[in-house]
Amino acid sequence: MQSVVYKRIPRLDPVLIERARGINVADLHEGLGPIIGRQCLMQPQMCALFPTARVCGQAVTSFNFPGDNLMLHAAFRVAEPGDILVLTNGGSPQGALWGEIASYYSRIRKLGGAVIDGATRDTVQITEMGFPVFASHVSVSYPGKRGPGAVNVPVVMAGVTVNPGDLIVGDADGVMAIPPSHVEAAVRNAEARMAKEAEIKRRLDGGETLYDVGGMKGLFEAAGIVEIDAAWTDRP
């Protein structure tokens, strides 16, 4: 099998990426709606290495043979400042795809972070460095450097297909890969949601209840909820 590296990805408007950078994953997820939002959300095993880790940038993808991370170094050659390195070996814990030196070099290169469906190591050093890393495994398992693999091809990451150039957003709540065609709607809807929640907080501060502010009366009725003014032990 011949390894291949595609050197370019489709580029989003930097202004749109900057708008997304100020939005939480939860709001972007809601902004995409119940179907597309779920399709873009990686499974929960993809989690932040430390609680304040956050990424927002375009995906440079790297498929690595299990137990090997040669194609990580190929991805380094084409990634640009702000890009997120999206690495997979099929989700295997064998052969750490990432570690301290990769984080150190990425920080020098001004890359935006790394999302790894596979193993990372050197977790204490990376946390102290503050470079944002998300991974599905932690293991010191030694990686080879033989290939084969590919860079900037579609990959599957924790249940989600990620294409080169997808917008990767991640925080303590999870990681999403948003196709370019959905980014503007996700950002616009998320901003509207944030404004709505700011108004809800204002009303709660004013003394209103979440039951009233959230319109729970109609939802309770639709669900057939019956409220009984008695203790459970008082039932007939």
Side-chain angles (χ1 to χ4, degrees), residues 79-170:
E80 298 182 6
D83 287 344
I84 310 301
L85 291 175
V86 176
L87 316 173
T88 183
N89 60 7
S92 170
Q94 296 301 315
L97 288 172
W98 196 263
E100 178 186 7
I101 296 301
S103 295
Y104 193 87
Y105 181 57
S106 294
R107 192 172 63 172
I108 291 172
R109 291 280 308 281
K110 301 187 186 305
L111 302 183
V115 176
I116 304 147
D117 195 7
T120 186
R121 63 187 187 187
D122 305 326
T123 58
V124 171
Q125 295 89 335
I126 294 171
T127 299
E128 290 175 347
M129 197 183 308
F131 185 77
V133 172
F134 295 73
S136 58
H137 298 284
V138 173
S139 174
V140 298
S141 177
Y142 177 79
K145 289 179 173 57
R146 298 173 300 275
V151 169
N152 281 333
V153 299
V155 296
V156 176
M157 300 284 294
V160 173
T161 297
V162 181
N163 288 292
D166 282 357
L167 184 67
I168 305 298
V169 288

Coordinates of all heavy atoms in Angstrom, one line a residue, residues 79-170:
A79 N 0.4 21.2 8.0 CA -0.5 21.9 8.8 C 0.0 23.4 8.9 O 1.1 23.7 8.9 CB -0.5 21.3 10.2
E80 N -1.0 24.3 9.0 CA -0.8 25.7 9.1 C -1.2 26.2 10.5 O -2.0 25.6 11.2 CB -1.5 26.5 8.0 CG -1.1 26.1 6.6 CD -1.8 26.8 5.5 OE1 -2.6 27.8 5.8 OE2 -1.6 26.5 4.3
P81 N -0.7 27.4 10.9 CA -1.1 28.0 12.2 C -2.6 28.0 12.4 O -3.4 28.4 11.5 CB -0.5 29.4 12.1 CG 0.7 29.3 11.3 CD 0.3 28.3 10.2
G82 N -3.0 27.5 13.5 CA -4.5 27.5 13.9 C -5.1 26.2 13.5 O -6.2 25.9 14.0
D83 N -4.5 25.3 12.7 CA -5.1 24.1 12.3 C -5.1 23.1 13.5 O -4.3 23.2 14.4 CB -4.3 23.4 11.1 CG -4.6 24.1 9.8 OD1 -5.6 24.9 9.7 OD2 -3.8 23.9 8.9
I84 N -6.1 22.2 13.4 CA -6.2 21.1 14.4 C -5.7 19.8 13.8 O -6.3 19.4 12.8 CB -7.6 20.9 15.0 CG1 -8.2 22.3 15.4 CG2 -7.6 20.0 16.1 CD1 -7.4 23.0 16.5
L85 N -4.7 19.2 14.4 CA -4.3 17.8 13.9 C -5.3 16.8 14.4 O -5.5 16.6 15.6 CB -2.9 17.5 14.4 CG -1.8 18.4 13.8 CD1 -0.4 18.1 14.4 CD2 -1.7 18.2 12.3
V86 N -5.9 16.1 13.5 CA -6.9 15.1 13.8 C -6.3 13.7 13.4 O -6.2 13.4 12.2 CB -8.2 15.4 13.0 CG1 -9.2 14.3 13.2 CG2 -8.8 16.7 13.4
L87 N -5.9 12.9 14.4 CA -5.2 11.7 14.2 C -6.0 10.5 14.6 O -6.6 10.5 15.6 CB -3.9 11.8 15.0 CG -3.1 13.1 15.0 CD1 -2.0 13.0 16.0 CD2 -2.6 13.4 13.7
T88 N -5.8 9.4 13.8 CA -6.4 8.2 14.2 C -5.6 7.0 13.8 O -4.9 7.1 12.7 CB -7.9 8.0 13.6 OG1 -8.4 6.8 14.1 CG2 -7.9 8.0 12.1
N89 N -5.7 5.9 14.5 CA -5.1 4.6 14.1 C -6.2 3.6 14.2 O -6.0 2.4 14.5 CB -3.9 4.2 15.0 CG -4.3 4.1 16.5 OD1 -5.4 4.2 16.8 ND2 -3.3 4.0 17.3
G90 N -7.5 4.0 14.1 CA -8.6 3.2 14.2 C -9.1 3.1 15.7 O -9.9 2.2 16.0
G91 N -8.6 3.9 16.5 CA -9.0 3.9 17.9 C -8.2 3.0 18.8 O -8.6 2.7 19.9
S92 N -7.1 2.4 18.3 CA -6.3 1.5 19.1 C -5.4 2.2 20.2 O -4.9 3.2 19.9 CB -5.4 0.7 18.2 OG -4.5 -0.1 18.9
P93 N -5.3 1.5 21.3 CA -4.4 2.1 22.4 C -2.9 1.7 22.1 O -2.0 2.2 22.8 CB -4.9 1.4 23.7 CG -5.5 0.1 23.2 CD -6.1 0.4 21.9
Q94 N -2.7 0.9 21.1 CA -1.3 0.5 20.8 C -0.5 1.6 20.0 O -1.0 2.1 19.0 CB -1.3 -0.8 20.0 CG -1.9 -2.0 20.7 CD -1.2 -2.3 22.0 OE1 0.1 -2.3 22.0 NE2 -1.9 -2.5 23.1
G95 N 0.6 1.9 20.5 CA 1.5 2.9 19.8 C 0.9 4.3 20.0 O 0.1 4.8 19.2
A96 N 1.4 5.0 21.0 CA 1.0 6.4 21.3 C 1.2 7.3 20.1 O 2.3 7.4 19.5 CB 1.7 6.9 22.5
L97 N 0.1 7.9 19.6 CA 0.1 8.8 18.5 C 0.7 10.2 18.9 O 1.1 10.9 18.0 CB -1.3 9.0 17.9 CG -1.8 7.8 17.1 CD1 -3.3 8.0 16.7 CD2 -1.0 7.5 15.9
W98 N 0.7 10.5 20.1 CA 1.0 11.9 20.6 C 1.8 11.9 21.9 O 1.7 10.9 22.7 CB -0.3 12.6 20.7 CG -0.1 14.1 20.8 CD1 -0.1 14.9 21.9 CD2 0.0 15.0 19.7 NE1 0.1 16.2 21.5 CE2 0.1 16.3 20.2 CE3 0.0 14.8 18.3 CZ2 0.3 17.4 19.4 CZ3 0.1 15.9 17.5 CH2 0.3 17.2 18.0
G99 N 2.5 12.9 22.1 CA 3.2 13.1 23.4 C 3.8 14.5 23.6 O 3.3 15.4 22.9
E100 N 4.7 14.6 24.5 CA 5.2 15.9 24.9 C 5.9 16.7 23.8 O 5.6 17.9 23.6 CB 6.2 15.8 26.1 CG 6.8 17.1 26.6 CD 7.9 16.9 27.6 OE1 8.2 15.7 27.9 OE2 8.3 17.9 28.1
I101 N 6.8 16.0 23.1 CA 7.5 16.7 22.0 C 6.6 17.1 20.9 O 6.8 18.2 20.3 CB 8.6 15.8 21.5 CG1 9.7 15.5 22.6 CG2 9.3 16.4 20.3 CD1 10.3 16.7 23.2
A102 N 5.6 16.3 20.5 CA 4.6 16.7 19.5 C 3.9 18.0 20.0 O 3.6 18.9 19.1 CB 3.6 15.6 19.2
S103 N 3.5 18.0 21.2 CA 2.8 19.2 21.7 C 3.8 20.4 21.7 O 3.4 21.5 21.4 CB 2.3 19.0 23.2 OG 1.3 18.0 23.2
Y104 N 5.0 20.2 22.2 CA 6.0 21.3 22.2 C 6.2 21.9 20.8 O 6.2 23.1 20.6 CB 7.3 20.8 22.8 CG 8.3 21.9 23.2 CD1 8.2 22.4 24.4 CD2 9.3 22.3 22.3 CE1 9.2 23.4 24.8 CE2 10.2 23.3 22.6 CZ 10.1 23.8 23.9 OH 11.0 24.8 24.2
Y105 N 6.4 21.0 19.8 CA 6.6 21.4 18.4 C 5.3 22.1 17.9 O 5.4 23.2 17.2 CB 6.9 20.2 17.6 CG 7.2 20.6 16.1 CD1 8.2 21.5 15.8 CD2 6.5 20.0 15.1 CE1 8.5 21.8 14.5 CE2 6.7 20.3 13.8 CZ 7.7 21.2 13.5 OH 8.0 21.5 12.1
S106 N 4.2 21.6 18.2 CA 2.9 22.2 17.7 C 2.7 23.6 18.3 O 2.2 24.5 17.6 CB 1.7 21.4 18.2 OG 1.7 20.1 17.5
R107 N 3.2 23.8 19.5 CA 3.1 25.2 20.1 C 4.0 26.1 19.4 O 3.6 27.3 19.1 CB 3.4 25.1 21.6 CG 3.0 26.4 22.4 CD 3.2 26.2 23.8 NE 4.6 25.9 24.2 CZ 5.0 25.9 25.5 NH1 4.1 26.1 26.5 NH2 6.2 25.6 25.8
I108 N 5.2 25.7 19.1 CA 6.1 26.5 18.3 C 5.5 26.9 16.9 O 5.6 28.0 16.5 CB 7.5 25.8 18.1 CG1 8.2 25.7 19.5 CG2 8.4 26.5 17.1 CD1 9.4 24.8 19.4
R109 N 4.9 25.9 16.3 CA 4.3 26.1 15.0 C 2.9 26.8 15.1 O 2.3 27.1 14.0 CB 4.0 24.7 14.4 CG 5.3 23.9 13.9 CD 5.8 24.5 12.6 NE 4.8 24.5 11.6 CZ 4.4 23.4 10.9 NH1 4.9 22.2 11.1 NH2 3.5 23.5 10.0
K110 N 2.5 27.1 16.3 CA 1.2 27.9 16.5 C 0.0 27.1 16.0 O -1.0 27.7 15.5 CB 1.2 29.3 15.9 CG 2.4 30.1 16.4 CD 2.3 31.6 15.9 CE 3.5 32.4 16.4 NZ 3.7 32.4 17.9
L111 N 0.1 25.8 16.1 CA -1.1 24.9 15.7 C -2.2 25.1 16.8 O -1.9 25.4 17.9 CB -0.7 23.5 15.5 CG 0.4 23.3 14.4 CD1 0.6 21.8 14.3 CD2 0.0 23.9 13.1
G112 N -3.4 24.7 16.5 CA -4.5 25.0 17.4 C -4.8 23.9 18.4 O -5.5 24.1 19.3
G113 N -4.2 22.7 18.2 CA -4.5 21.6 19.1 C -4.4 20.3 18.4 O -4.2 20.2 17.2
A114 N -4.7 19.2 19.1 CA -4.7 17.8 18.6 C -5.9 17.1 19.1 O -6.3 17.2 20.3 CB -3.4 17.1 18.9
V115 N -6.6 16.3 18.2 CA -7.7 15.4 18.6 C -7.3 14.0 18.1 O -7.0 13.8 16.9 CB -9.0 15.9 17.9 CG1 -10.1 14.9 18.2 CG2 -9.4 17.3 18.4
I116 N -7.2 13.1 19.0 CA -6.6 11.8 18.7 C -7.5 10.6 19.0 O -7.9 10.4 20.2 CB -5.3 11.6 19.6 CG1 -4.4 12.8 19.3 CG2 -4.6 10.3 19.3 CD1 -3.5 13.2 20.5
D117 N -7.9 9.9 18.0 CA -8.6 8.6 18.3 C -7.6 7.5 18.3 O -7.3 6.8 17.4 CB -9.7 8.3 17.2 CG -10.7 7.3 17.7 OD1 -10.6 6.9 18.8 OD2 -11.5 6.8 16.8
G118 N -7.0 7.4 19.5 CA -5.9 6.5 19.8 C -5.3 7.0 21.1 O -5.9 7.7 21.9
A119 N -4.0 6.7 21.3 CA -3.4 7.0 22.6 C -2.5 8.3 22.5 O -1.8 8.5 21.5 CB -2.6 5.8 23.1
T120 N -2.5 9.0 23.7 CA -1.5 10.0 23.9 C -0.7 9.6 25.2 O -1.2 8.7 26.0 CB -2.1 11.4 24.1 OG1 -1.1 12.4 24.2 CG2 -3.0 11.5 25.3
R121 N 0.4 10.2 25.4 CA 1.2 10.0 26.6 C 1.7 11.3 27.1 O 1.4 12.3 26.6 CB 2.3 8.9 26.4 CG 3.3 9.4 25.4 CD 4.3 8.2 25.1 NE 5.4 8.7 24.3 CZ 6.3 7.8 23.8 NH1 6.2 6.5 24.0 NH2 7.3 8.3 23.0
D122 N 2.5 11.3 28.1 CA 3.1 12.5 28.7 C 2.1 13.5 29.1 O 2.1 14.7 28.9 CB 4.1 13.2 27.7 CG 5.1 12.3 27.1 OD1 5.6 11.4 27.9 OD2 5.5 12.4 25.9
T123 N 1.0 13.0 29.8 CA -0.1 13.8 30.1 C 0.2 14.9 31.1 O -0.4 16.0 31.0 CB -1.3 12.9 30.7 OG1 -0.8 12.3 31.9 CG2 -1.7 11.9 29.7
V124 N 1.1 14.7 32.0 CA 1.4 15.7 33.0 C 2.1 16.9 32.3 O 1.8 18.1 32.5 CB 2.3 15.2 34.2 CG1 2.8 16.3 35.0 CG2 1.4 14.2 35.0
Q125 N 3.1 16.5 31.5 CA 3.9 17.6 30.8 C 3.0 18.4 29.8 O 3.2 19.6 29.7 CB 5.0 16.9 30.0 CG 6.1 16.2 30.9 CD 5.8 14.8 31.2 OE1 4.6 14.4 31.2 NE2 6.8 14.0 31.5
I126 N 2.1 17.7 29.1 CA 1.2 18.4 28.2 C 0.3 19.3 28.9 O 0.0 20.5 28.5 CB 0.5 17.4 27.3 CG1 1.4 16.6 26.4 CG2 -0.6 18.1 26.5 CD1 0.8 15.5 25.7
T127 N -0.2 18.8 30.1 CA -1.1 19.7 30.9 C -0.4 20.9 31.4 O -0.9 22.0 31.4 CB -1.7 18.9 32.1 OG1 -2.4 17.8 31.6 CG2 -2.5 19.7 33.0
E128 N 0.9 20.7 31.9 CA 1.6 21.9 32.4 C 1.9 22.8 31.2 O 2.0 24.1 31.4 CB 3.0 21.4 33.0 CG 2.7 20.6 34.3 CD 4.0 20.0 34.8 OE1 5.0 20.0 34.1 OE2 4.0 19.6 36.0
M129 N 2.1 22.3 30.0 CA 2.4 23.2 28.9 C 1.1 23.9 28.4 O 1.2 25.0 27.9 CB 2.8 22.2 27.7 CG 3.5 22.9 26.6 SD 3.9 21.7 25.3 CE 4.8 20.4 26.2
G130 N 0.0 23.3 28.7 CA -1.3 24.0 28.3 C -1.7 23.9 26.9 O -2.6 24.6 26.4
F131 N -1.0 22.9 26.2 CA -1.4 22.7 24.8 C -2.7 21.8 24.7 O -2.7 20.7 25.3 CB -0.3 22.1 24.0 CG -0.6 22.0 22.5 CD1 -0.5 23.1 21.7 CD2 -1.0 20.8 22.0 CE1 -0.7 23.0 20.3 CE2 -1.3 20.7 20.6 CZ -1.2 21.8 19.8
P132 N -3.7 22.3 24.0 CA -5.0 21.5 24.1 C -4.9 20.2 23.3 O -4.7 20.2 22.1 CB -6.0 22.5 23.4 CG -5.2 23.4 22.6 CD -3.8 23.5 23.2
V133 N -5.1 19.1 24.0 CA -5.1 17.8 23.4 C -6.4 17.0 23.9 O -6.8 17.1 25.1 CB -3.9 17.0 23.8 CG1 -4.0 15.5 23.4 CG2 -2.6 17.6 23.3
F134 N -7.0 16.3 23.0 CA -8.2 15.5 23.2 C -7.8 14.1 22.7 O -7.2 13.9 21.7 CB -9.4 16.0 22.5 CG -9.9 17.3 23.0 CD1 -9.3 18.5 22.7 CD2 -11.1 17.4 23.8 CE1 -9.7 19.7 23.2 CE2 -11.5 18.6 24.3 CZ -10.8 19.8 24.0
A135 N -8.1 13.1 23.5 CA -7.8 11.7 23.1 C -8.7 10.7 23.6 O -9.4 10.9 24.6 CB -6.3 11.4 23.6
S136 N -8.8 9.5 23.0 CA -9.7 8.5 23.4 C -9.0 7.5 24.3 O -9.6 6.6 25.0 CB -10.3 7.7 22.2 OG -9.3 7.2 21.4
H137 N -7.6 7.5 24.4 CA -6.8 6.6 25.3 C -5.6 7.4 25.8 O -5.1 8.3 25.2 CB -6.3 5.4 24.5 CG -7.4 4.5 23.9 ND1 -8.2 3.7 24.7 CD2 -7.9 4.4 22.7 CE1 -9.0 3.0 24.0 NE2 -8.9 3.4 22.7
V138 N -5.1 6.9 26.9 CA -3.8 7.3 27.5 C -3.0 6.1 27.6 O -3.4 5.1 28.3 CB -4.0 8.1 28.8 CG1 -2.6 8.3 29.4 CG2 -4.7 9.4 28.6
S139 N -1.8 6.0 27.0 CA -1.0 4.9 27.1 C 0.4 5.3 26.6 O 0.6 6.0 25.7 CB -1.5 3.7 26.1 OG -0.5 2.6 26.1
V140 N 1.4 4.7 27.3 CA 2.8 5.0 26.9 C 3.3 4.0 25.9 O 4.5 4.0 25.5 CB 3.7 4.9 28.2 CG1 3.4 5.9 29.2 CG2 3.7 3.5 28.8
S141 N 2.5 3.2 25.3 CA 2.8 2.2 24.3 C 3.7 2.8 23.2 O 3.3 3.8 22.6 CB 1.6 1.6 23.7 OG 1.9 0.6 22.7
Y142 N 4.9 2.2 22.9 CA 5.8 2.8 22.0 C 5.3 2.7 20.6 O 4.9 1.7 20.1 CB 7.2 2.0 22.1 CG 8.2 2.5 21.1 CD1 8.9 3.6 21.3 CD2 8.4 1.8 19.9 CE1 9.9 4.1 20.4 CE2 9.3 2.2 19.0 CZ 10.1 3.3 19.2 OH 11.0 3.8 18.3
P143 N 5.4 3.8 19.8 CA 4.9 3.8 18.4 C 6.1 3.5 17.4 O 7.2 4.0 17.6 CB 4.4 5.2 18.2 CG 5.3 6.1 19.1 CD 5.6 5.2 20.3
G144 N 5.8 2.8 16.4 CA 6.8 2.6 15.3 C 6.6 3.8 14.3 O 5.8 4.6 14.5
K145 N 7.5 3.8 13.3 CA 7.5 4.8 12.3 C 7.8 4.2 10.9 O 8.9 4.4 10.4 CB 8.5 6.0 12.6 CG 8.0 6.8 13.8 CD 9.0 7.9 14.1 CE 8.4 8.8 15.2 NZ 8.1 8.1 16.4
R146 N 6.8 3.4 10.5 CA 7.0 2.7 9.2 C 5.9 3.0 8.2 O 6.1 2.8 7.0 CB 7.1 1.2 9.5 CG 8.2 0.7 10.3 CD 8.1 -0.7 10.7 NE 6.9 -1.0 11.4 CZ 6.7 -0.9 12.7 NH1 7.7 -0.5 13.5 NH2 5.6 -1.2 13.3
G147 N 4.7 3.4 8.7 CA 3.6 3.5 7.8 C 2.9 2.1 7.6 O 3.3 1.2 8.4
P148 N 2.0 2.0 6.7 CA 1.5 3.0 5.7 C 0.5 3.9 6.4 O 0.1 3.7 7.6 CB 0.9 2.2 4.6 CG 0.4 1.0 5.3 CD 1.4 0.7 6.4
G149 N 0.0 4.9 5.7 CA -1.0 5.8 6.2 C -1.3 6.9 5.2 O -0.9 6.8 4.0
A150 N -2.1 7.9 5.6 CA -2.5 8.9 4.7 C -2.7 10.2 5.4 O -3.1 10.2 6.6 CB -3.7 8.5 3.9
V151 N -2.6 11.3 4.8 CA -2.8 12.7 5.3 C -3.9 13.4 4.5 O -3.8 13.4 3.2 CB -1.5 13.5 5.5 CG1 -1.8 14.9 5.8 CG2 -0.6 12.9 6.5
N152 N -4.8 14.0 5.2 CA -5.9 14.8 4.5 C -6.7 14.0 3.6 O -7.0 14.3 2.5 CB -5.3 16.0 3.8 CG -5.0 17.2 4.8 OD1 -5.6 17.3 5.8 ND2 -4.0 18.0 4.4
V153 N -7.2 12.9 4.2 CA -8.2 12.0 3.6 C -9.3 11.9 4.7 O -9.1 12.2 5.9 CB -7.7 10.6 3.2 CG1 -6.6 10.8 2.2 CG2 -7.2 9.9 4.4
P154 N -10.5 11.5 4.3 CA -11.6 11.3 5.3 C -11.2 10.2 6.3 O -10.6 9.2 5.9 CB -12.8 10.8 4.5 CG -12.6 11.4 3.1 CD -11.1 11.3 2.9
V155 N -11.4 10.5 7.6 CA -11.1 9.5 8.7 C -12.4 9.4 9.6 O -13.2 10.3 9.6 CB -9.9 9.9 9.5 CG1 -8.6 9.9 8.6 CG2 -10.1 11.3 10.1
V156 N -12.4 8.3 10.3 CA -13.5 8.1 11.3 C -12.9 8.3 12.7 O -11.9 7.7 13.1 CB -14.1 6.7 11.2 CG1 -15.2 6.5 12.3 CG2 -14.8 6.6 9.8
M157 N -13.5 9.2 13.4 CA -13.0 9.6 14.8 C -14.1 9.4 15.8 O -15.1 10.2 15.8 CB -12.5 11.1 14.8 CG -11.5 11.4 13.8 SD -9.8 10.9 14.3 CE -9.6 11.9 15.8
A158 N -13.9 8.4 16.7 CA -14.9 8.2 17.7 C -16.3 8.2 17.2 O -17.2 8.9 17.8 CB -14.7 9.2 18.8
G159 N -16.6 7.5 16.1 CA -17.9 7.4 15.5 C -18.3 8.5 14.6 O -19.5 8.4 14.0
V160 N -17.5 9.4 14.3 CA -17.8 10.6 13.4 C -16.8 10.6 12.2 O -15.6 10.5 12.4 CB -17.8 11.9 14.1 CG1 -17.9 13.1 13.1 CG2 -18.8 12.0 15.2
T161 N -17.4 10.7 11.0 CA -16.5 10.9 9.8 C -16.0 12.3 9.8 O -16.9 13.3 9.8 CB -17.3 10.5 8.5 OG1 -17.7 9.2 8.5 CG2 -16.4 10.8 7.3
V162 N -14.7 12.5 9.7 CA -14.1 13.8 9.6 C -13.4 14.0 8.3 O -12.6 13.2 7.9 CB -13.1 14.0 10.8 CG1 -12.5 15.4 10.7 CG2 -13.7 13.8 12.1
N163 N -13.8 15.0 7.6 CA -13.2 15.3 6.3 C -12.1 16.4 6.5 O -12.3 17.3 7.4 CB -14.2 15.8 5.3 CG -15.0 14.6 4.8 OD1 -14.6 13.7 4.1 ND2 -16.3 14.6 5.2
P164 N -11.1 16.4 5.7 CA -10.1 17.5 5.8 C -10.8 18.9 5.6 O -11.6 19.0 4.7 CB -9.1 17.2 4.6 CG -9.3 15.8 4.3 CD -10.7 15.5 4.7
G165 N -10.5 19.8 6.5 CA -11.1 21.1 6.4 C -12.4 21.3 7.3 O -12.9 22.4 7.5
D166 N -12.9 20.2 7.8 CA -14.0 20.3 8.8 C -13.6 21.2 10.0 O -12.4 21.2 10.3 CB -14.5 19.0 9.3 CG -15.3 18.2 8.4 OD1 -15.6 18.7 7.3 OD2 -15.6 17.0 8.7
L167 N -14.6 21.9 10.5 CA -14.3 22.7 11.7 C -14.3 21.9 12.9 O -15.4 21.2 13.2 CB -15.3 23.9 11.8 CG -15.0 24.8 13.0 CD1 -13.7 25.6 12.7 CD2 -16.1 25.8 13.2
I168 N -13.2 21.8 13.6 CA -13.1 21.0 14.9 C -13.3 21.9 16.1 O -12.5 22.9 16.2 CB -11.8 20.2 14.9 CG1 -11.6 19.4 13.7 CG2 -11.7 19.4 16.2 CD1 -12.6 18.3 13.5
V169 N -14.3 21.6 16.9 CA -14.4 22.4 18.1 C -14.5 21.4 19.3 O -15.2 20.4 19.2 CB -15.7 23.3 18.1 CG1 -15.5 24.4 17.1 CG2 -16.9 22.5 17.7
G170 N -13.8 21.7 20.3 CA -13.8 20.8 21.5 C -13.6 21.6 22.8 O -12.8 22.6 22.8

